[in-house]
Amino acid sequence: MPNIQEIAASAKESAEQLGIKKFDIYGSIVDSTSVQVDQGEPKQVKATNLSGVTVRVWNEDNTMGVTSTTDVDSKGLELALKTAFEASIFGVKENTPDFSPEAKAEINNGKTDQKATPAPVSSLIDSLLTAEKEVLAGHQAIKGVPYNSLSQRDFERFYLNSDGAMRAQSHSLASIYLYSKTEEEGRKPRSAGAFRISHGVEKLDVNGCIKETIEKTISHLNYRKIPTGKYMVVFSPDAFLSLLSAFSNLFNAQSILDKQSLSTPDDLGKQIASPLLSLYDDALHPANIGAETFDGEGTPTRQVSLIENGVLKNFLHSAGTAKRMNAKPTGNANIGAKVTVSPNFYHVFASAAPEQQFSLETAENVVLIDDLQALHAGVKSLQGSFSLPFDGWLINKGEKTSIDSATVAGDFLELLKSIVFVEKEVELTPGGVCPRIWVEGLSITGE
């Protein structure tokens, strides 16, 4: 892919020839390599190079056309600009997207481009084969690691517009995922997994991933049914953020304007959760390995307070939603045929000292949910309800007993208000950082 200066010069020249006065371009390129293994043999090696740009053009009537292309040489850009210009005739006339007012604002967030040296494929295969071998040796009941992956990716992104905005960013990340399965005569297969991420393969905590996979798998071997009823439920960081993401329309300004949200514009300032809970969308959090410094509209990303002491403080905005709701863009826009809004990186933390402390070492008859499943089917995001199968344990004074199979059900807004304890220690997950969250009186249905 040409560099951003070459793309900008080429786009400007083509725009002048076509009589286009207003346009912007967002592009990215991703180089990735991933490997999978199976029973001591390489199963799959995949290398991809994905690149593309999204071009938006406004005409004299200020209606906009959009097109996407993977061809970013001068002829490809010229064709994309021409196609978008022709499409602008059919653009919407109400709430037409515009440049972000912060597309040229200074990015001063301390984040620098971090590119790691790619590891050879043979090294990736050897590392993953060793990891699989160690997991299989962790317990005689572990018979396979059916889902596994070791990958490394390089990202490059840029944004430019006809008003002189120009941004570029590059970074690398590597990740490993292990998911094991047991086989015992007369017993149900049990499974567990772990995940690690870092800037490069050399810094990847492979041993930590192996250890967590083995420990979780072993802990599920001795399982039993659980009686149906109301329980104190402790959500693991990954489980809580999975549920939070499923109901992200709560903070999404575009969803709110489309009336596809649990929130309304008047809900700002209302108590929607326990005073113990605070939540930020923080793309620039130090733990965010793949932090993006600007969004699809060129707006700098930032820390956005969503919930403070249980009070709804802000929504996530694009330039368009911010204008319509008299707010500021938050750096959460994605451009395409339609501008969409999505969270970057959640940071959940305790906002106040609780009246009562809880501990898994002393708690009696609580359910620890490690992983929620079937989120695509068990969540009714516009109603706020959920009913989801899960992997987890019944905890009694520190003793963990794996739960055979069960579902947890409830209303998400009621769940937020029923939080009785937010632990201090946070964990890194693919969706953000979060501690364990204790919720009172959730319905658990056992077999």
Side-chain angles (χ1 to χ4, degrees):
M1 177 180 276
N3 63 42
I4 185 172
Q5 286 80 14
E6 293 171 341
I7 292 172
S10 179
K12 186 176 180 180
E13 182 181 343
S14 296
E16 287 177 353
Q17 292 174 356
L18 294 167
I20 296 171
K21 295 180 180 179
K22 184 176 180 179
F23 67 89
D24 69 359
I25 301 174
Y26 173 81
S28 65
I29 180 170
V30 182
D31 276 312
S32 67
T33 306
S34 65
V35 299
Q36 295 178 355
V37 300
D38 183 30
Q39 298 294 335
E41 297 290 336
K43 179 182 178 182
Q44 179 174 278
V45 178
K46 184 189 296 183
T48 59
N49 178 282
L50 303 174
S51 61
V53 296
T54 298
V55 179
R56 303 191 298 179
V57 172
W58 288 258
N59 59 27
E60 292 180 355
D61 295 327
N62 201 38
T63 57
M64 186 195 74
V66 185
T67 191
S68 298
T69 181
T70 58
D71 190 359
V72 291
D73 61 15
S74 57
K75 288 188 176 181
L77 281 174
E78 182 181 357
L79 180 58
L81 285 163
K82 182 180 179 183
T83 304
F85 187 45
E86 292 171 349
S88 67
I89 300 171
F90 307 100
V92 295
K93 292 181 169 57
E94 291 184 7
N95 302 314
T96 305
D98 204 346
F99 292 163
S100 167
E102 298 187 22
K104 293 194 288 185
E106 183 179 358
I107 294 179
N108 185 19
N109 49 40
K111 293 283 183 180
T112 56
D113 291 351
Q114 293 188 340
K115 296 291 286 290
T117 303
V121 172
S122 58
S123 173
L124 298 180
I125 292 174
D126 289 343
S127 296
L128 194 55
L129 285 171
T130 300
E132 181 196 43
K133 183 178 179 181
E134 291 188 25
V135 171
L136 290 172
H139 194 279
Q140 60 184 11
I142 300 176
K143 299 300 183 184
V145 189
Y147 303 108
N148 60 76
S149 175
L150 178 56
S151 65
Q152 56 186 1
R153 294 181 288 278
D154 284 341
F155 297 84
E156 292 183 26
R157 311 167 54 244
F158 72 88
Y159 173 84
L160 61 89
N161 68 28
S162 54
D163 198 31
M166 190 178 298
R167 306 194 187 283
Q169 179 194 9
S170 61
H171 62 267
S172 302
L173 61 85
S175 62
I176 183 170
Y177 175 65
L178 300 170
Y179 189 85
S180 62
K181 184 178 180 181
T182 67
E183 292 179 13
E184 289 183 295
E185 188 174 348
R187 307 283 287 173
K188 293 181 180 179
R190 307 297 281 169
S191 300
F195 173 85
R196 293 292 187 276
I197 190 170
S198 74
H199 283 294
V201 174
E202 290 183 359
K203 298 180 180 179
L204 205 54
D205 182 16
V206 177
N207 290 331
C209 190
I210 294 169
K211 183 179 178 182
E212 183 180 345
T213 303
I214 293 171
E215 289 177 351
K216 279 188 179 180
T217 306
I218 293 173
S219 72
H220 283 302
L221 289 175
N222 295 315
Y223 58 86
R224 67 179 178 87
K225 295 181 181 356
I226 185 172
T228 296
K230 297 273 190 179
Y231 289 83
M232 176 80 80
V233 171
V234 184
F235 287 93
S236 73
D238 188 53
F240 186 76
L241 289 184
S242 294
L243 200 57
L244 188 66
S245 297
F247 292 100
S248 62
N249 66 44
L250 191 65
F251 318 108
N252 189 312
Q254 187 62 60
S255 297
I256 292 165
L257 289 169
D258 293 341
K259 295 183 170 26
Q260 299 292 307
S261 171
L262 295 174
S263 299
T264 70
D266 296 331
D267 287 338
L268 288 178
K270 289 184 179 180
Q271 190 86 25
I272 67 163
S274 162
L276 302 174
L277 182 75
S278 286
L279 166 67
Y280 291 165
D281 179 60
D282 191 0
L284 306 177
H285 192 283
N288 188 7
I289 303 297
E292 295 184 345
T293 56
F294 58 90
D295 70 3
E297 296 180 314
T299 304
T301 54
R302 66 204 68 188
Q303 182 187 88
V304 182
S305 171
L306 298 175
I307 298 175
E308 290 272 8
N309 303 317
V311 176
L312 183 62
K313 303 295 284 187
N314 290 288
F315 299 131
L316 301 178
H317 286 284
S318 64
T321 63
K323 183 178 180 180
R324 292 173 65 185
M325 299 180 73
N326 195 27
K328 290 184 177 180
T330 57
N332 293 87
N334 314 290
I335 68 169
K338 180 181 178 181
V339 177
T340 59
V341 176
S342 61
N344 289 316
F345 188 84
Y346 286 126
H347 177 201
V348 180
F349 59 97
S351 53
E355 294 181 3
Q356 184 179 0
Q357 297 280 341
F358 292 87
S359 168
L360 291 177
E361 296 301 318
T362 57
E364 297 182 16
N365 208 38
V366 302
V367 172
L368 172 57
I369 293 179
D370 182 53
D371 180 50
L372 291 169
Q373 300 160 3
L375 286 146
H376 64 287
V379 167
K380 295 183 178 179
S381 59
L382 299 183
Q383 298 177 18
S385 62
F386 60 90
S387 180
L388 301 166
F390 65 88
D391 288 334
W393 304 269
L394 187 67
I395 311 289
N396 193 32
K397 296 182 179 179
E399 183 179 339
K400 297 168 68 174
T401 303
S402 180
I403 296 170
D404 183 1
S405 61
T407 59
V408 59
D411 179 271
F412 185 66
L413 292 176
E414 290 181 9
L415 179 152
L416 291 178
K417 291 181 178 179
S418 301
I419 292 171
V420 294
F421 188 52
V422 179
E423 296 188 9
K424 286 187 177 180
E425 186 175 343
V426 299
E427 294 179 21
L428 174 64
T429 78
V433 289
C434 179
R436 286 193 293 232
I437 307 291
W438 293 61
V439 182
E440 192 174 36
L442 277 181
S443 296
I444 302 290
T445 303
E447 268 195 345

